Amino acid sequence: MLTLKILFWLCLFIVFYTYIGYGMLLFLIIRLKRLVKGKLQTIAMPTDDELPTMTLMICAYNEQDIVAEKMQNTRALDYPKDKFRVMWVTDGTTDNTNELLKAYPEVDVVFSPERKGKTAALKHGLNEVKTEIVAFTDANTMLNSGAMREIARQFKDKTVGCVSGEKRVASRHGEMAAEGEGLYWRYESTLKKWDSELYSAMGAAGELYAIRPELCRDVPDNALLDDFMMSMLIVDEGHRIAYAPEAYALEYGSANIAEESKRKRRIAAGGLQSIWWLRQMLNPLRQPLVAFQYISHRVLRWSITPIALVILALVNILLVWMGAGMLYTIVLILQAAFYLAALLGWALSKCGHRNKLLYTAYYFLFMNLNVFRGMAYLKSHSHSGTWEKAKRS
């Protein structure tokens, strides 16, 4: 029974630390850091003359339906036109995307008829970049007008090799899948802000991020999370990822939970793939603070914690059955209540009803289940960087 109790408390600690404890610890460390060193000094916004030249790269595959809206948004960005280049990389595109882009003389189209995946497209585009900074965004995400200036401001810090913008999720018709995703990203944004203040954000999201082109390193063409890999390789070489919430990308959430599952299992698979490829970053002797942040924020939730959730429930049942004590009974009741809430959240969403508390429990369980689905996805997609796009609301 002692072995089971040790396993129980170990799994409970891992689950708590991954989703709550790390955030609490970050909060305390940041407060202590501010007491000792003071608050971070705000970097002044560069003048037009100080702004670096910048390329905005949009990797697209059959995005004809969004070209007009995306270009309207791109033209509204506040950045000197003589320092700003727009590039669409359309590897493998078979629709009218390229034809539609001919109406925009400021756009450079980099095209290859063969579809090899987003990572290959990024490499193709990077070969054509001649500016000091290159920013990446998706065709279906809209940027705020000051995003490029905010990114340039962060790069005034020479320790910064990558800037991650903020992802914001909107819902057209109140889809619960989008609301669940939005809640998750609000929590993620808080952790990224604190990570960045402590030392560095742990990865950038492909909706909006920017890098110094000379720091780009080769990422395998079959990478499922090219944005994460590219940004973390920069951290691995001793540079920081600055988080810039004032530069944000707005996109609509998944049309439904089935479409959201496509994204989650691909992200989970890409996370597992990245953990292996970046395994040198797990060594605390190389960069202790980076290893602490990386394991706490990324590695646990993509690998160990979902397994710990399953073991926790099974071991808890065994301990109650063996008469281990009232405490274990209480924890089992709490676990049962949580999973019942998740089940009710799922049932209500299927019927078109809303209860944010119950749906939050369901979305948490949904994310962790997709880690296991991601394991199967990785096995079947390990040799290809292409994927099926999730439909947006």
Side-chain angles (χ1 to χ4, degrees):
M1 186 183 290
L2 178 61
T3 301
L4 288 176
K5 286 183 177 180
I6 293 172
L7 187 58
F8 170 87
W9 288 108
L10 178 61
C11 290
L12 184 62
F13 171 78
I14 289 172
V15 172
F16 175 82
Y17 178 76
T18 300
Y19 294 108
I20 300 174
Y22 178 59
M24 294 172 62
L25 184 58
L26 262 184
F27 178 82
L28 292 174
I29 294 173
I30 293 298
R31 292 303 179 275
L32 288 172
K33 184 178 178 181
R34 289 176 184 174
L35 284 174
V36 175
K37 296 186 176 182
K39 289 188 177 181
L40 288 176
Q41 297 297 314
T42 302
I43 302 172
M45 184 65 72
T47 63
D48 284 7
D49 289 339
E50 295 173 328
L51 287 172
T53 55
M54 187 179 299
T55 296
L56 179 64
M57 187 187 298
I58 304 161
C59 290
Y61 172 72
N62 289 353
E63 296 286 3
Q64 62 181 14
D65 295 337
I66 203 71
V67 167
E69 184 180 0
K70 182 64 176 180
M71 285 308 303
Q72 181 181 7
N73 174 256
T74 301
R75 283 179 163 178
L77 295 174
D78 177 22
Y79 209 83
K81 302 306 178 187
D82 62 328
K83 293 188 172 185
F84 191 58
R85 181 185 182 192
V86 181
M87 179 189 296
W88 282 68
V89 184
T90 61
D91 286 24
T93 289
T94 57
D95 67 358
N96 290 323
T97 299
N98 291 343
E99 291 298 316
L100 293 173
L101 288 171
K102 290 179 180 179
Y104 303 94
E106 71 272 30
V107 171
D108 297 319
V109 177
V110 178
F111 173 67
S112 174
E114 185 178 359
R115 187 189 182 197
K116 295 182 179 179
K118 188 177 178 182
T119 303
L122 285 172
K123 292 180 182 179
H124 192 182
L126 283 168
N127 289 332
E128 305 298 323
V129 170
K130 301 294 189 287
T131 53
E132 297 168 84
I133 303 296
V134 55
F136 306 92
T137 187
D138 293 335
N140 63 350
T141 59
M142 304 301 148
L143 312 180
N144 63 306
S145 62
M148 298 297 102
R149 286 183 179 268
E150 176 59 27
I151 285 172
R153 184 173 74 88
Q154 297 293 336
F155 276 114
K156 288 182 71 176
D157 183 341
K158 299 305 180 184
T159 68
V160 171
C162 174
V163 176
S164 174
E166 180 176 278
K167 174 184 175 180
R168 298 185 183 181
V169 181
S171 168
R172 291 187 196 272
H173 310 295
E175 294 85 358
M176 291 302 289
E179 292 187 13
E181 186 185 356
L183 177 66
Y184 168 77
W185 273 103
R186 285 194 291 275
Y187 178 63
E188 266 296 288
S189 295
T190 300
L191 289 183
K192 285 184 176 183
K193 183 179 179 180
W194 291 345
D195 270 336
S196 182
E197 186 172 348
L198 178 59
Y199 174 64
S200 171
M202 289 294 107
E207 286 76 15
L208 178 60
Y209 72 107
I211 60 177
R212 302 184 193 273
E214 66 271 18
L215 297 181
C216 288
R217 296 296 176 262
D218 193 38
V219 174
D221 286 350
N222 61 330
L224 295 172
L225 293 184
D226 52 271
D227 44 10
F228 182 77
M229 280 294 300
M230 192 173 293
S231 58
M232 287 302 286
L233 285 172
I234 289 173
V235 175
D236 190 45
E237 293 193 356
H239 308 279
R240 295 177 51 241
I241 301 174
Y243 183 59
E246 293 81 7
Y248 61 85
L250 181 67
E251 72 173 10
Y252 290 104
S254 301
N256 52 55
I257 203 66
E259 294 299 319
E260 177 67 359
S261 182
K262 291 180 184 178
R263 291 184 62 255
K264 289 300 183 189
R265 64 177 180 259
R266 177 182 64 81
I267 291 171
L272 291 168
Q273 185 185 61
S274 300
I275 290 171
W276 175 249
W277 284 343
L278 299 171
R279 57 191 179 277
Q280 73 277 4
M281 298 186 72
L282 302 176
N283 182 358
L285 299 179
R286 295 177 74 250
Q287 296 188 75
L289 190 53
V290 168
F292 162 68
Q293 292 183 277
Y294 177 46
I295 293 170
S296 299
H297 192 167
R298 297 297 187 187
V299 175
L300 288 176
R301 66 172 64 180
W302 280 341
S303 58
I304 298 173
T305 303
I307 297 172
L309 270 171
V310 175
I311 295 174
L312 179 64
L314 295 175
V315 170
N316 201 172
I317 292 170
L318 281 174
L319 286 171
V320 170
W321 179 71
M322 295 170 69
M326 181 60 68
L327 178 60
Y328 298 96
T329 303
I330 293 172
V331 174
L332 183 60
I333 291 171
L334 291 174
Q335 285 201 77
F338 175 80
Y339 289 116
L340 178 61
L343 182 62
L344 288 173
W346 170 78
L348 287 174
S349 68
K350 294 286 284 185
C351 297
H353 299 294
R354 300 186 185 188
N355 183 297
K356 287 190 176 181
L357 184 62
L358 296 178
Y359 193 83
T360 298
Y362 167 55
Y363 196 79
F364 173 85
L365 183 59
F366 165 80
M367 287 193 303
N368 281 281
L369 286 173
N370 274 287
V371 172
F372 294 99
R373 299 187 69 186
M375 295 175 185
Y377 185 98
L378 180 59
K379 184 177 180 180
S380 62
H381 290 72
S382 60
H383 301 296
S384 173
T386 62
W387 66 81
E388 182 184 358
K389 293 186 293 185
K391 295 177 182 178
R392 296 291 176 173
S393 59

